[in-house]
Amino acid sequence: MKLAMEKLLAAGLLSASVISAPVMAMNIVLTNDDSWDTQNIQILKAALVTAGHHVIMSAPCTGQSGKGGAMTFLKPVSVDETKAAQQEFCVGDTDTRVAFEDYAEGTPVMAVLYGIDVAAQTIWGKAPDLVISGPNEGNNLGFMNNNSGTLGATMIALSRGIPAIAVSAHENTAHDAAQSELVANAVVEVVATLESSRPAGGPLLPAYTGLNINTPEDMSNHLGYKLTDVGWNSGGIELKFSDDLSSDAVLMGYMVQKLMAGGMDQVTAQATAQAAMQDKQGLSFGMGDAGDANANSEGNAVKAGYITISTIDGNVQAARAKVSLTEQRLLGLN
């Protein structure tokens, strides 16, 4: 089934020109883990609407990167409906004066479920045809997908039987509108290709199956679409715990970039980041490929300049060959 879907995508994407309008307008719930007030999600919403789709945005009120499948249990959660006329909603408390035991963050999983269970039912009277999570401000690749709020929202939608697509872009889309618009156009093209290649009477995607799309740094000169495997390579990034965050070149570079995107000059941004992280402990980033040099792993392909599309599902079952080898070693258990 995966191979058949990849053939359909390949036929539509790898050799076709950009599709400017969908075959059929769809009801789409759009979410992400960077909050509803980001350039990426706003530009993608506009692009989908322009293409003829009906879009509900339901995202966390605050940034929730790295939250994976996190949820807030046994607490009521605030929902901001002040932009309901634009079909935009955000989930989660924003008043930090609220006591810790009462404060309820709106995670990506919670936000997309609000979109599916409440907003879509109120506006359309039914579940959405598709969930799109992203575009994230930064790629989600390889093993790092396990930590991603972008993927967490995608997986919970798949568990409800709703086709879902995770989209993650380079960090530059946080402040480069031109790159963000190119990413949005690519997503619209993928959606149109899926719809135009849908078997008669068939689903948009096979049951419990989604896509993980990642776009490269320079969307103006990308190498085209590449159908990839998730693999292990996270694009050259690995997690580590540091006792001095200011010594982490990757983390500091990211912080400086964010500060400069907010209008700070480079010298001030570097000094500010250094002061904030000097002698502080915490989770940081290192360089590594998890030993995965396969050119078809999405982490390697996106670094090479491709728009990668990996087929995903919520099944963490190991491949049968690995299962057999492991089971043979456990036969002595009773």
Side-chain angles (χ1 to χ4, degrees), residues 230-245:
V230 173
W232 281 90
N233 191 314
S234 61
I237 299 295
E238 65 180 7
L239 293 174
K240 64 179 184 178
F241 201 94
S242 174
D243 61 0
D244 182 2
L245 292 173

Side-chain angles (χ1 to χ4, degrees), residues 27-325:
N27 293 336
I28 299 173
V29 166
L30 177 63
T31 191
N32 77 353
D33 70 358
D34 293 319
S35 90
W36 69 339
D37 189 28
T38 64
Q39 176 170 267
N40 275 348
I41 198 170
Q42 293 289 340
I43 287 177
L44 179 54
K45 182 191 176 191
L48 290 167
V49 171
T50 298
H53 299 296
H54 311 293
V55 182
I56 291 171
M57 181 198 297
S58 182
C61 295
T62 58
Q64 296 288 306
S65 292
K67 291 298 179 70
M71 295 163 275
T72 301
F73 282 111
L74 304 179
K75 292 182 184 180
V77 64
S78 299
V79 177
D80 187 334
E81 299 178 344
T82 58
K83 298 182 181 180
Q86 291 82 41
Q87 296 185 177
E88 297 182 5
F89 308 88
C90 79
V91 177
D93 286 338
T94 58
D95 185 356
T96 55
R97 296 172 298 178
V98 175
F100 175 80
E101 60 270 19
D102 299 320
Y103 189 89
E105 289 186 310
T107 68
V109 165
M110 296 165 69
V112 76
L113 286 177
Y114 176 86
I116 293 169
D117 293 334
V118 180
Q121 293 297 327
T122 300
I123 295 170
W124 300 322
K126 59 182 180 180
D129 301 312
L130 174 67
V131 164
I132 299 177
S133 181
N136 190 61
E137 296 174 351
N139 292 123
N140 284 299
L141 302 157
F143 76 88
M144 288 290 288
N145 288 323
N146 295 321
N147 307 97
S148 165
T150 304
L151 271 292
T154 305
M155 292 302 179
I156 203 69
L158 292 178
S159 78
R160 300 290 292 274
I162 300 169
I165 300 173
V167 183
S168 301
H170 189 269
E171 291 91 345
N172 61 9
T173 56
H175 53 83
D176 188 334
Q179 290 292 315
S180 190
E181 288 170 2
L182 291 172
V183 171
N185 292 340
V187 175
V188 170
E189 184 176 7
V190 170
V191 171
T193 301
L194 286 173
E195 177 54 36
S196 65
S197 62
R198 183 204 297 244
L204 187 71
L205 290 166
Y208 307 110
T209 304
L211 301 178
N212 188 39
I213 298 175
N214 278 274
T215 60
E217 180 176 1
D218 185 2
M219 279 293 288
S220 301
N221 296 289
H222 68 78
L223 301 181
Y225 295 91
K226 185 177 179 67
L227 303 178
T228 51
D229 298 321
V230 173
W232 281 90
N233 191 314
S234 61
I237 299 295
E238 65 180 7
L239 293 174
K240 64 179 184 178
F241 201 94
S242 174
D243 61 0
D244 182 2
L245 292 173
S246 68
S247 66
D248 187 319
V250 177
L251 177 64
M252 293 296 288
Y254 178 76
M255 287 188 65
V256 169
Q257 183 184 61
K258 293 283 283 187
L259 291 169
M260 290 176 65
M264 194 176 290
D265 67 85
Q266 184 174 1
V267 173
T268 304
Q270 289 174 336
T272 301
Q274 182 74 24
M277 294 295 153
Q278 186 74 48
D279 297 325
K280 300 293 195 308
Q281 301 184 78
L283 197 65
S284 65
F285 302 98
M287 305 301 292
D289 61 7
D292 181 2
N294 190 327
N296 207 51
S297 291
E298 59 187 12
N300 289 313
V302 78
K303 286 294 184 183
Y306 289 99
I307 300 172
T308 63
I309 305 177
S310 299
T311 304
I312 58 173
D313 63 23
N315 189 347
V316 296
Q317 175 68 48
R320 175 47 53 185
K322 292 183 179 180
V323 172
S324 297
L325 289 171

